[in-house]
Amino acid sequence: MARRSRTKTPIAEQKPAVRKSNFDEVCLGYTIEEGQAEAIRCLQCKDAPCIASCPVMIDIPGFILAIKAGDMQEAADILGRYTNLPAICGRVCPQEKQCEQVCKLGKAKNFEPVAIGKLERLVADWALENQDFSTLSQSTQPKIGKIAVIGSGPSGLTVAGDLAKLNYEVIVYEALHDAGGVLTYGIPEFRLPKRIVKKEIQSIEALGVTIETNVVIGKTITMDEIMNEFDACYISVGAGAPNFMGIPGTALNGVYSSSEYLTRINLMHSYEFPKYDTPIKRSKNVVVIGGGNVAMDAARSAKRLGAEHVSIVYRRSLEELPARIEEYHHSVEEEINYHWLTNPIEYMNDGHGNLNGVKCIKMELGEPDQSGRRRPVPIKNSEFTIEADTVIEAIGQGSNKVLLSTFPELKLTKWGYIEADPKTGETSIPGVFAGGDIVTGAATVILAMGAGKVAAVQIDKYVQEKKQTPVTTKV
């Protein structure tokens, strides 16, 4: 038997000097042979903690054992029982904070955890290349109900796929011209290729799911019409409304929200201008505000668009950085600069309404705030200026108000998100379920998928109970 390596099997990546000027995927993935070498490292724990730490409860030891045996079809079948988007999750799921964090091998001295995410990607990519979705057979039995899904992001796609497998007629309504939600408009090509997103969506459509784009619920179709036509509906419209700090100079030319900046690049292909007719500013000095994955995506995209200097301004330190550590390391390799413990206080005007600098102040960490992290406190007389012709604020998003403003009956939280039971997805209105970022605020793809799996079970239960309840008429 091959000896178990202490470290993860190395994985091929584009070299930093090459990739920082293109939008091709950074990580090139495992070969089957490399995947088998990594699969050997799995301890095949009987009480596998990795399963419990996965929001969709994938049988991780099971699919890894199939890789080890060289049975890729079996590995794909196991994954397919738990997740509808494995090729996406294998790329963007924060495994280091979930399944890999509790891996028993990684708890042993001088051992790294099993590369679970990279193995999931290997299997999912194999399935996308080797399975013909057009040949998938759909049930010939009459549909047992009709469900509307509002929003085609990871949560909506998960609900749709799971309910289609239960033989429901499912129609997904997407406001934009392409399906995928944040997977399409938010995550750059170099981290999540759109061909992968499209293939995963095709696999869900092959189950019988219908996706209708350019449909704005609340405008194109009312919620009253949805409630009358469908047995139940699931709202997963995300949290794409940009937040701004509101500091002086926010209205200057050159100040972007990360939502606009990344949507122009990812959904509207501005990085391929003039092949696609969406222009984007060609910047020289870019400052990105924030420390999450979105900030990394914006900074690394700006570098690829030709910016000479790209800096990330973050008000805490590296220890508190919320972004995936892999993305941080990739950004450093691509010559992204960091200003730690720094906060912008004003955007500077060149006298003609254009941005020409960011006035910042140094911070120090004080007592913990509500999040449990130490609160940044400004240091007096520590102001300095960073030259910039472009600023991208990546400080989070708010709830999508288009649908919510036309559906006042729906109970919201004090933050403006939909109030939904985390264990069922049920909202204040019977038959209306909700999940993903419109309930939690901006979170991860896999957590949105977890909410979708929970809701699918409850929607099925709700519809079946409703059909069994006898209708009584008043005499």
Side-chain angles (χ1 to χ4, degrees), residues 279-367:
I280 196 163
K281 182 177 181 182
R282 297 296 167 175
S283 310
K284 182 178 180 181
N285 299 301
V286 177
V287 173
V288 178
I289 314 299
N293 290 324
V294 176
M296 302 290 153
D297 288 343
R300 297 173 67 198
S301 294
K303 175 65 75 171
R304 284 161 170 75
L305 287 172
E308 294 178 19
H309 305 286
V310 181
S311 300
I312 288 180
V313 169
Y314 181 53
R315 62 183 186 150
R316 290 185 167 94
S317 68
L318 174 58
E319 290 182 7
E320 291 83 26
L321 193 73
R324 297 188 68 187
I325 197 67
E326 179 180 51
E327 303 307 319
Y328 166 70
H329 288 315
H330 282 160
S331 72
V332 171
E333 291 174 343
E334 293 164 12
E335 299 178 344
I336 306 296
N337 302 309
Y338 283 81
H339 293 276
W340 304 110
L341 291 165
T342 302
N343 214 32
I345 55 176
E346 182 180 355
Y347 299 136
M348 312 302 291
N349 192 334
D350 69 351
H352 301 284
N354 301 307
L355 176 82
N356 69 353
V358 182
K359 187 176 182 180
C360 299
I361 191 166
K362 299 296 290 182
M363 312 290 280
E364 59 185 356
L365 295 178
E367 295 300 314

Coordinates of all heavy atoms in Angstrom, one line a residue, residues 279-367:
P279 N -18.1 48.7 -22.2 CA -16.8 49.3 -21.9 C -16.6 49.3 -20.4 O -17.6 49.2 -19.6 CB -17.0 50.7 -22.4 CG -18.4 51.0 -22.3 CD -19.1 49.7 -22.6
I280 N -15.4 49.4 -19.9 CA -15.0 49.5 -18.5 C -13.8 50.4 -18.4 O -13.0 50.4 -19.3 CB -14.8 48.2 -17.8 CG1 -14.9 48.4 -16.3 CG2 -13.5 47.5 -18.2 CD1 -15.0 47.1 -15.5
K281 N -13.7 51.2 -17.4 CA -12.6 52.1 -17.2 C -11.3 51.4 -17.2 O -11.1 50.4 -16.5 CB -12.8 53.0 -15.9 CG -11.8 54.0 -15.7 CD -12.0 54.8 -14.5 CE -11.0 55.9 -14.3 NZ -11.2 56.7 -13.1
R282 N -10.4 52.0 -18.0 CA -9.0 51.5 -17.9 C -8.2 52.3 -16.9 O -8.0 53.5 -17.0 CB -8.3 51.6 -19.3 CG -9.0 50.8 -20.4 CD -8.9 49.3 -20.1 NE -9.8 48.5 -20.9 CZ -9.8 47.2 -20.9 NH1 -9.0 46.5 -20.1 NH2 -10.7 46.5 -21.7
S283 N -7.9 51.6 -15.8 CA -7.4 52.3 -14.6 C -5.9 52.1 -14.5 O -5.3 51.1 -15.0 CB -8.0 51.8 -13.3 OG -9.4 51.8 -13.5
K284 N -5.2 53.1 -13.8 CA -3.8 53.0 -13.6 C -3.5 52.6 -12.1 O -2.8 51.7 -11.8 CB -3.1 54.3 -13.9 CG -1.6 54.3 -13.7 CD -0.9 55.6 -14.1 CE 0.6 55.6 -13.9 NZ 1.2 56.8 -14.3
N285 N -4.2 53.4 -11.2 CA -4.0 53.1 -9.8 C -5.4 52.8 -9.1 O -6.2 53.7 -9.1 CB -3.4 54.4 -9.1 CG -2.0 54.7 -9.6 OD1 -1.1 53.9 -9.6 ND2 -1.9 55.9 -10.2
V286 N -5.5 51.6 -8.7 CA -6.8 51.1 -8.1 C -6.7 50.8 -6.6 O -5.7 50.2 -6.2 CB -7.3 49.9 -8.9 CG1 -8.6 49.3 -8.3 CG2 -7.4 50.1 -10.4
V287 N -7.7 51.3 -5.9 CA -7.8 51.0 -4.5 C -9.1 50.3 -4.2 O -10.2 50.7 -4.6 CB -7.7 52.3 -3.6 CG1 -8.0 51.9 -2.1 CG2 -6.4 52.9 -3.7
V288 N -9.0 49.1 -3.6 CA -10.2 48.3 -3.3 C -10.4 48.4 -1.8 O -9.5 48.1 -1.0 CB -10.0 46.8 -3.7 CG1 -11.3 46.0 -3.3 CG2 -9.8 46.8 -5.2
I289 N -11.6 48.7 -1.3 CA -11.9 48.8 0.1 C -12.6 47.5 0.5 O -13.7 47.1 0.0 CB -12.9 50.0 0.4 CG1 -12.4 51.2 -0.3 CG2 -13.0 50.2 1.9 CD1 -11.0 51.7 0.0
G290 N -12.1 46.8 1.5 CA -12.7 45.6 2.0 C -11.7 44.4 2.1 O -10.6 44.5 1.6
G291 N -12.2 43.3 2.8 CA -11.2 42.2 3.0 C -11.8 40.9 2.7 O -11.3 39.8 3.0
G292 N -13.0 40.8 2.1 CA -13.7 39.5 1.8 C -13.3 39.0 0.4 O -12.4 39.6 -0.3
N293 N -13.9 37.9 0.0 CA -13.6 37.3 -1.3 C -13.9 38.3 -2.4 O -13.3 38.3 -3.5 CB -14.4 36.0 -1.4 CG -13.9 34.9 -0.6 OD1 -12.7 34.8 -0.3 ND2 -14.7 34.1 0.0
V294 N -15.0 39.1 -2.2 CA -15.4 40.0 -3.3 C -14.3 41.1 -3.5 O -14.0 41.5 -4.6 CB -16.7 40.7 -2.9 CG1 -17.1 41.7 -4.0 CG2 -17.8 39.6 -2.8
A295 N -13.7 41.5 -2.4 CA -12.6 42.5 -2.5 C -11.4 41.8 -3.3 O -10.8 42.5 -4.2 CB -12.1 42.9 -1.1
M296 N -11.1 40.6 -3.0 CA -10.1 39.9 -3.7 C -10.4 39.8 -5.2 O -9.5 40.0 -6.1 CB -9.9 38.4 -3.2 CG -9.5 38.4 -1.7 SD -7.9 38.9 -1.4 CE -8.1 39.5 0.3
D297 N -11.6 39.4 -5.5 CA -12.1 39.3 -6.9 C -11.9 40.6 -7.6 O -11.5 40.7 -8.8 CB -13.5 38.8 -7.0 CG -13.7 37.4 -6.5 OD1 -12.7 36.6 -6.5 OD2 -14.8 36.9 -6.2
A298 N -12.3 41.7 -7.0 CA -12.3 43.0 -7.6 C -10.8 43.4 -7.9 O -10.5 43.9 -9.0 CB -13.0 44.1 -6.8
A299 N -10.0 43.3 -6.9 CA -8.6 43.7 -7.0 C -7.9 42.8 -8.1 O -7.1 43.4 -8.9 CB -7.9 43.5 -5.6
R300 N -8.1 41.5 -8.1 CA -7.4 40.7 -9.0 C -7.9 40.9 -10.5 O -7.2 40.8 -11.4 CB -7.5 39.2 -8.6 CG -6.9 38.9 -7.3 CD -7.1 37.5 -6.8 NE -6.5 36.5 -7.6 CZ -6.9 35.3 -7.6 NH1 -7.9 34.9 -6.8 NH2 -6.2 34.4 -8.4
S301 N -9.2 41.3 -10.6 CA -9.8 41.6 -11.9 C -9.2 42.9 -12.4 O -8.8 43.0 -13.6 CB -11.3 41.8 -11.8 OG -11.9 40.6 -11.5
A302 N -9.0 43.9 -11.5 CA -8.4 45.2 -11.9 C -7.0 45.0 -12.4 O -6.6 45.6 -13.4 CB -8.4 46.2 -10.7
K303 N -6.2 44.1 -11.7 CA -4.9 43.8 -12.2 C -4.9 43.2 -13.6 O -4.1 43.6 -14.5 CB -4.2 42.9 -11.2 CG -2.8 42.4 -11.6 CD -1.8 43.5 -11.7 CE -1.4 43.9 -10.3 NZ -0.2 44.8 -10.3
R304 N -5.8 42.3 -13.8 CA -5.9 41.7 -15.1 C -6.4 42.6 -16.2 O -6.1 42.4 -17.4 CB -6.9 40.5 -15.1 CG -6.2 39.3 -14.4 CD -7.3 38.3 -13.9 NE -6.6 37.0 -13.4 CZ -6.0 36.9 -12.3 NH1 -5.9 37.9 -11.4 NH2 -5.4 35.8 -11.9
L305 N -7.1 43.7 -15.8 CA -7.5 44.7 -16.8 C -6.4 45.7 -17.1 O -6.6 46.6 -17.9 CB -8.7 45.4 -16.3 CG -10.0 44.6 -16.3 CD1 -11.2 45.3 -15.6 CD2 -10.5 44.3 -17.8
G306 N -5.2 45.5 -16.5 CA -4.1 46.4 -16.9 C -3.7 47.4 -15.9 O -2.8 48.2 -16.2
A307 N -4.3 47.5 -14.7 CA -3.9 48.5 -13.7 C -2.4 48.2 -13.3 O -2.0 47.1 -13.0 CB -4.8 48.4 -12.5
E308 N -1.7 49.3 -13.2 CA -0.3 49.2 -12.8 C -0.1 48.9 -11.3 O 0.7 48.2 -10.9 CB 0.5 50.5 -13.1 CG 0.6 50.8 -14.6 CD 1.3 52.1 -14.9 OE1 2.0 52.6 -14.1 OE2 1.1 52.6 -16.1
H309 N -1.0 49.6 -10.5 CA -0.9 49.5 -9.0 C -2.3 49.2 -8.5 O -3.2 49.9 -8.7 CB -0.3 50.7 -8.4 CG 1.0 51.2 -8.9 ND1 2.2 50.5 -8.6 CD2 1.3 52.2 -9.7 CE1 3.2 51.1 -9.2 NE2 2.7 52.1 -9.9
V310 N -2.4 48.1 -7.8 CA -3.7 47.7 -7.1 C -3.4 47.5 -5.7 O -2.6 46.7 -5.3 CB -4.3 46.5 -7.8 CG1 -5.7 46.1 -7.1 CG2 -4.5 46.6 -9.3
S311 N -4.2 48.2 -4.8 CA -4.0 48.0 -3.4 C -5.4 47.7 -2.7 O -6.4 48.2 -3.2 CB -3.6 49.4 -2.7 OG -2.3 49.7 -3.3
I312 N -5.3 46.9 -1.7 CA -6.5 46.6 -0.9 C -6.3 47.3 0.5 O -5.3 47.2 1.1 CB -6.7 45.1 -0.7 CG1 -7.1 44.4 -2.0 CG2 -7.7 44.8 0.5 CD1 -7.4 42.9 -1.9
V313 N -7.3 48.1 0.8 CA -7.4 48.8 2.1 C -8.3 48.0 3.0 O -9.5 47.9 2.7 CB -7.8 50.3 1.9 CG1 -8.1 50.9 3.2 CG2 -6.7 51.0 1.1
Y314 N -7.8 47.5 4.1 CA -8.6 46.8 5.1 C -8.4 47.3 6.5 O -7.3 47.5 6.9 CB -8.3 45.3 5.0 CG -9.1 44.4 5.9 CD1 -10.5 44.4 5.8 CD2 -8.5 43.5 6.7 CE1 -11.2 43.6 6.6 CE2 -9.2 42.6 7.5 CZ -10.6 42.7 7.5 OH -11.3 41.9 8.3
R315 N -9.5 47.5 7.2 CA -9.4 48.2 8.5 C -9.0 47.3 9.6 O -8.7 47.7 10.7 CB -10.8 48.8 8.8 CG -11.9 47.8 9.0 CD -13.2 48.6 9.2 NE -14.3 47.6 9.5 CZ -15.3 47.9 10.3 NH1 -15.4 49.1 10.9 NH2 -16.3 47.0 10.5
R316 N -8.9 46.0 9.4 CA -8.3 45.1 10.4 C -7.0 44.5 9.9 O -6.4 45.0 8.9 CB -9.3 43.9 10.7 CG -10.6 44.4 11.4 CD -11.5 43.2 11.8 NE -12.5 43.6 12.8 CZ -13.7 44.0 12.5 NH1 -14.1 44.1 11.3 NH2 -14.6 44.3 13.5
S317 N -6.5 43.4 10.5 CA -5.2 42.8 10.1 C -5.4 41.5 9.3 O -6.6 41.1 9.2 CB -4.4 42.6 11.4 OG -5.0 41.5 12.1
L318 N -4.3 41.0 8.9 CA -4.4 39.7 8.2 C -5.1 38.6 9.0 O -5.8 37.8 8.4 CB -3.0 39.2 7.8 CG -2.8 37.9 7.1 CD1 -3.7 37.8 5.8 CD2 -1.4 37.6 6.8
E319 N -4.9 38.6 10.3 CA -5.5 37.6 11.1 C -7.0 37.6 11.1 O -7.7 36.6 11.2 CB -5.1 37.7 12.6 CG -3.6 37.4 12.8 CD -3.2 37.5 14.3 OE1 -4.1 37.8 15.1 OE2 -2.0 37.4 14.6
E320 N -7.6 38.8 10.9 CA -9.1 38.9 10.8 C -9.6 38.8 9.4 O -10.8 38.9 9.2 CB -9.5 40.2 11.5 CG -9.3 40.3 13.0 CD -7.9 40.7 13.4 OE1 -7.3 41.3 12.5 OE2 -7.5 40.3 14.5
L321 N -8.8 38.7 8.4 CA -9.2 38.8 7.0 C -10.3 37.7 6.7 O -10.0 36.5 6.9 CB -8.0 38.6 6.1 CG -8.2 38.9 4.6 CD1 -8.3 40.4 4.4 CD2 -7.1 38.3 3.7
P322 N -11.5 38.1 6.3 CA -12.5 37.1 6.0 C -12.4 36.3 4.7 O -13.0 35.2 4.6 CB -13.8 37.9 6.0 CG -13.4 39.3 5.6 CD -12.0 39.4 6.2
A323 N -11.6 36.8 3.8 CA -11.4 36.1 2.5 C -10.7 34.7 2.7 O -10.0 34.5 3.7 CB -10.6 37.0 1.6
R324 N -10.9 33.9 1.7 CA -10.3 32.6 1.7 C -8.8 32.8 1.7 O -8.3 33.6 0.9 CB -10.7 31.7 0.5 CG -12.2 31.3 0.6 CD -12.5 30.3 -0.6 NE -11.8 29.0 -0.3 CZ -11.8 28.0 -1.1 NH1 -12.4 28.2 -2.3 NH2 -11.2 26.9 -0.8
I325 N -8.0 32.0 2.5 CA -6.6 32.2 2.5 C -5.9 31.9 1.2 O -4.9 32.5 0.8 CB -5.9 31.4 3.6 CG1 -4.5 31.8 4.0 CG2 -6.0 29.9 3.3 CD1 -4.5 33.2 4.6
E326 N -6.5 31.0 0.4 CA -6.0 30.6 -0.9 C -6.1 31.8 -1.9 O -5.2 32.1 -2.6 CB -6.8 29.5 -1.5 CG -6.4 29.0 -2.9 CD -7.2 27.9 -3.5 OE1 -8.5 28.0 -3.4 OE2 -6.6 26.9 -3.9
E327 N -7.2 32.6 -1.8 CA -7.4 33.8 -2.6 C -6.4 34.8 -2.2 O -5.9 35.6 -3.0 CB -8.8 34.3 -2.5 CG -9.9 33.3 -2.9 CD -9.7 32.7 -4.2 OE1 -9.3 33.4 -5.2 OE2 -9.9 31.4 -4.3
Y328 N -6.2 35.0 -0.9 CA -5.2 36.0 -0.4 C -3.8 35.6 -1.0 O -3.1 36.5 -1.5 CB -5.1 36.0 1.1 CG -3.9 36.7 1.7 CD1 -3.8 38.1 1.5 CD2 -2.9 36.0 2.3 CE1 -2.7 38.8 2.0 CE2 -1.8 36.7 2.8 CZ -1.7 38.1 2.6 OH -0.6 38.7 3.1
H329 N -3.4 34.4 -0.9 CA -2.0 34.0 -1.4 C -1.9 34.2 -2.9 O -0.9 34.7 -3.3 CB -1.8 32.5 -1.0 CG -1.5 32.2 0.4 ND1 -0.7 33.0 1.2 CD2 -1.9 31.3 1.2 CE1 -0.6 32.6 2.4 NE2 -1.4 31.5 2.5
H330 N -3.0 33.9 -3.6 CA -3.0 34.1 -5.0 C -2.8 35.6 -5.3 O -2.1 36.0 -6.3 CB -4.3 33.6 -5.7 CG -4.3 32.1 -5.9 ND1 -5.4 31.4 -6.0 CD2 -3.2 31.2 -5.9 CE1 -5.1 30.1 -6.2 NE2 -3.8 30.0 -6.1
S331 N -3.5 36.5 -4.6 CA -3.5 37.9 -4.8 C -2.1 38.5 -4.5 O -1.6 39.3 -5.3 CB -4.5 38.6 -3.9 OG -4.1 38.6 -2.6
V332 N -1.4 38.0 -3.5 CA 0.0 38.4 -3.2 C 0.9 38.0 -4.3 O 1.8 38.8 -4.7 CB 0.4 37.8 -1.8 CG1 1.9 38.1 -1.6 CG2 -0.4 38.4 -0.7
E333 N 0.7 36.8 -4.8 CA 1.6 36.3 -5.9 C 1.4 37.2 -7.2 O 2.3 37.3 -8.0 CB 1.2 34.9 -6.3 CG 1.7 33.9 -5.2 CD 1.2 32.5 -5.5 OE1 0.2 32.3 -6.4 OE2 1.7 31.5 -5.0
E334 N 0.2 37.8 -7.3 CA -0.2 38.6 -8.4 C 0.1 40.1 -8.2 O -0.3 41.0 -8.9 CB -1.6 38.4 -8.8 CG -1.9 37.0 -9.3 CD -3.4 36.7 -9.3 OE1 -4.3 37.6 -9.1 OE2 -3.7 35.5 -9.5
E335 N 0.9 40.4 -7.1 CA 1.4 41.7 -6.8 C 0.3 42.7 -6.4 O 0.4 43.9 -6.7 CB 2.2 42.3 -8.0 CG 3.4 41.4 -8.3 CD 4.2 41.9 -9.5 OE1 3.7 42.8 -10.3 OE2 5.4 41.5 -9.7
I336 N -0.7 42.2 -5.7 CA -1.7 43.1 -5.1 C -1.1 43.6 -3.8 O -0.6 42.7 -3.0 CB -3.0 42.3 -4.8 CG1 -3.6 41.7 -6.1 CG2 -4.0 43.3 -4.2 CD1 -3.9 42.6 -7.2
N337 N -1.1 44.9 -3.5 CA -0.6 45.4 -2.3 C -1.6 45.5 -1.2 O -2.8 45.6 -1.5 CB 0.0 46.8 -2.5 CG 1.0 46.8 -3.6 OD1 2.0 46.0 -3.6 ND2 0.9 47.7 -4.6
Y338 N -1.2 45.5 0.1 CA -2.2 45.6 1.2 C -1.8 46.7 2.1 O -0.6 47.0 2.5 CB -2.2 44.3 2.0 CG -2.9 43.2 1.3 CD1 -2.4 42.5 0.2 CD2 -4.3 42.9 1.6 CE1 -3.1 41.5 -0.4 CE2 -5.0 42.0 0.9 CZ -4.4 41.3 -0.1 OH -5.1 40.3 -0.8
H339 N -2.8 47.5 2.5 CA -2.7 48.5 3.6 C -3.6 47.9 4.8 O -4.8 48.1 4.8 CB -3.2 49.8 3.1 CG -2.4 50.5 2.1 ND1 -1.3 51.2 2.4 CD2 -2.5 50.5 0.7 CE1 -0.7 51.7 1.3 NE2 -1.5 51.2 0.2
W340 N -2.9 47.3 5.7 CA -3.6 46.7 6.9 C -3.9 47.8 7.9 O -3.3 48.9 7.9 CB -2.8 45.6 7.5 CG -2.3 44.5 6.6 CD1 -1.1 44.3 6.2 CD2 -3.2 43.5 6.1 NE1 -1.1 43.2 5.4 CE2 -2.3 42.7 5.3 CE3 -4.5 43.2 6.2 CZ2 -2.9 41.6 4.6 CZ3 -5.0 42.1 5.5 CH2 -4.2 41.3 4.7
L341 N -5.0 47.6 8.7 CA -5.4 48.5 9.8 C -5.5 49.9 9.2 O -4.9 50.9 9.8 CB -4.4 48.4 10.9 CG -4.4 47.1 11.7 CD1 -3.2 47.0 12.6 CD2 -5.7 47.0 12.6
T342 N -6.2 50.0 8.1 CA -6.4 51.3 7.4 C -7.8 51.5 7.0 O -8.4 50.5 6.6 CB -5.4 51.3 6.2 OG1 -4.1 51.1 6.6 CG2 -5.5 52.7 5.4
N343 N -8.3 52.7 7.1 CA -9.7 53.0 6.6 C -9.8 54.2 5.8 O -9.1 55.2 6.2 CB -10.6 53.1 7.9 CG -12.0 52.6 7.6 OD1 -12.2 51.6 6.9 ND2 -13.0 53.2 8.3
P344 N -10.5 54.3 4.7 CA -10.6 55.5 3.9 C -11.6 56.5 4.7 O -12.5 56.1 5.3 CB -11.3 55.0 2.6 CG -12.0 53.8 3.0 CD -11.3 53.1 4.1
I345 N -11.2 57.8 4.6 CA -12.1 58.8 5.2 C -12.6 59.8 4.2 O -13.5 60.6 4.5 CB -11.4 59.5 6.4 CG1 -10.1 60.1 6.0 CG2 -11.2 58.5 7.6 CD1 -9.4 60.8 7.1
E346 N -11.9 59.9 3.0 CA -12.4 60.8 2.0 C -11.8 60.4 0.7 O -10.7 60.0 0.6 CB -11.9 62.2 2.4 CG -12.4 63.3 1.4 CD -11.9 64.7 1.7 OE1 -11.3 64.9 2.8 OE2 -12.1 65.6 0.9
Y347 N -12.6 60.6 -0.4 CA -12.1 60.4 -1.8 C -11.8 61.8 -2.3 O -12.6 62.7 -2.3 CB -13.2 59.7 -2.6 CG -13.5 58.3 -2.1 CD1 -14.8 57.9 -2.0 CD2 -12.5 57.5 -1.7 CE1 -15.1 56.6 -1.6 CE2 -12.8 56.2 -1.2 CZ -14.1 55.8 -1.2 OH -14.4 54.5 -0.7
M348 N -10.6 62.0 -2.9 CA -10.1 63.3 -3.3 C -10.5 63.6 -4.7 O -10.5 62.8 -5.6 CB -8.5 63.3 -3.2 CG -8.0 62.7 -1.8 SD -8.6 63.6 -0.4 CE -7.8 65.2 -0.6
N349 N -10.9 64.9 -4.9 CA -11.4 65.5 -6.1 C -10.2 66.2 -6.9 O -9.5 67.0 -6.3 CB -12.5 66.5 -5.8 CG -13.3 66.9 -7.1 OD1 -12.8 66.8 -8.2 ND2 -14.5 67.3 -6.9
D350 N -10.1 65.9 -8.2 CA -9.0 66.5 -8.9 C -9.4 67.9 -9.4 O -8.7 68.6 -10.1 CB -8.6 65.7 -10.2 CG -9.7 65.6 -11.2 OD1 -10.8 66.1 -11.0 OD2 -9.4 65.1 -12.3
G351 N -10.6 68.4 -9.0 CA -11.1 69.7 -9.4 C -12.0 69.6 -10.5 O -12.6 70.7 -10.9
H352 N -12.1 68.5 -11.2 CA -13.0 68.3 -12.3 C -14.0 67.2 -12.1 O -14.6 66.7 -13.1 CB -12.2 68.0 -13.6 CG -11.1 69.1 -13.9 ND1 -11.5 70.3 -14.5 CD2 -9.8 69.1 -13.7 CE1 -10.4 71.0 -14.6 NE2 -9.4 70.3 -14.1
G353 N -14.2 66.8 -10.9 CA -15.2 65.8 -10.6 C -14.7 64.4 -10.7 O -15.5 63.4 -10.6
N354 N -13.4 64.2 -10.8 CA -12.8 62.9 -11.0 C -11.9 62.6 -9.7 O -11.3 63.4 -9.1 CB -11.8 62.9 -12.2 CG -12.6 63.2 -13.5 OD1 -13.6 62.5 -13.8 ND2 -12.1 64.1 -14.3
L355 N -11.9 61.3 -9.4 CA -11.1 60.8 -8.3 C -9.6 60.9 -8.6 O -9.2 60.5 -9.7 CB -11.5 59.3 -8.0 CG -10.7 58.6 -6.9 CD1 -11.2 59.0 -5.5 CD2 -10.8 57.1 -7.1
N356 N -8.8 61.4 -7.7 CA -7.4 61.3 -7.9 C -6.6 60.8 -6.6 O -5.4 60.8 -6.6 CB -6.8 62.6 -8.4 CG -6.8 63.7 -7.3 OD1 -7.4 63.5 -6.2 ND2 -6.2 64.9 -7.6
G357 N -7.3 60.4 -5.6 CA -6.6 59.9 -4.4 C -7.6 59.5 -3.3 O -8.8 59.9 -3.4
V358 N -7.1 58.7 -2.4 CA -7.9 58.2 -1.3 C -7.2 58.6 0.0 O -6.1 58.2 0.3 CB -8.1 56.7 -1.3 CG1 -9.0 56.2 -0.1 CG2 -8.7 56.2 -2.6
K359 N -7.9 59.5 0.8 CA -7.4 59.9 2.1 C -7.7 58.8 3.1 O -8.9 58.5 3.3 CB -7.9 61.3 2.5 CG -7.3 61.8 3.7 CD -7.8 63.2 4.0 CE -7.2 63.8 5.3 NZ -7.7 65.2 5.5
C360 N -6.7 58.3 3.8 CA -7.0 57.2 4.7 C -6.5 57.6 6.1 O -5.7 58.6 6.3 CB -6.2 56.0 4.3 SG -6.7 55.3 2.7
I361 N -6.9 56.8 7.1 CA -6.4 56.9 8.5 C -6.0 55.6 9.0 O -6.7 54.6 8.7 CB -7.5 57.6 9.4 CG1 -6.9 58.0 10.7 CG2 -8.7 56.7 9.6 CD1 -7.8 58.9 11.5
K362 N -4.9 55.5 9.8 CA -4.5 54.2 10.3 C -5.4 53.9 11.5 O -5.9 54.7 12.2 CB -3.0 54.3 10.8 CG -2.0 54.7 9.7 CD -1.9 53.6 8.7 CE -1.3 52.3 9.2 NZ -1.2 51.3 8.1
M363 N -5.5 52.6 11.7 CA -6.4 52.1 12.8 C -5.6 51.2 13.7 O -4.5 50.7 13.4 CB -7.5 51.2 12.2 CG -8.3 51.8 11.0 SD -9.3 53.2 11.4 CE -10.7 52.4 12.1
E364 N -6.2 51.0 14.9 CA -5.7 50.0 15.9 C -6.9 49.2 16.4 O -8.0 49.7 16.4 CB -4.9 50.6 17.0 CG -5.7 51.6 17.8 CD -4.9 52.3 18.9 OE1 -3.7 52.0 19.0 OE2 -5.4 53.2 19.6
L365 N -6.6 47.9 16.8 CA -7.7 47.1 17.2 C -8.0 47.3 18.7 O -7.1 47.2 19.6 CB -7.3 45.6 17.0 CG -7.2 45.3 15.5 CD1 -6.8 43.8 15.3 CD2 -8.5 45.6 14.7
G366 N -9.3 47.6 19.0 CA -9.7 47.8 20.4 C -10.4 46.5 20.9 O -10.0 45.4 20.6
E367 N -11.5 46.8 21.6 CA -12.3 45.7 22.2 C -13.1 44.9 21.1 O -13.4 45.5 20.1 CB -13.2 46.2 23.3 CG -12.5 46.8 24.5 CD -11.6 45.8 25.2 OE1 -12.0 44.6 25.4 OE2 -10.4 46.1 25.5

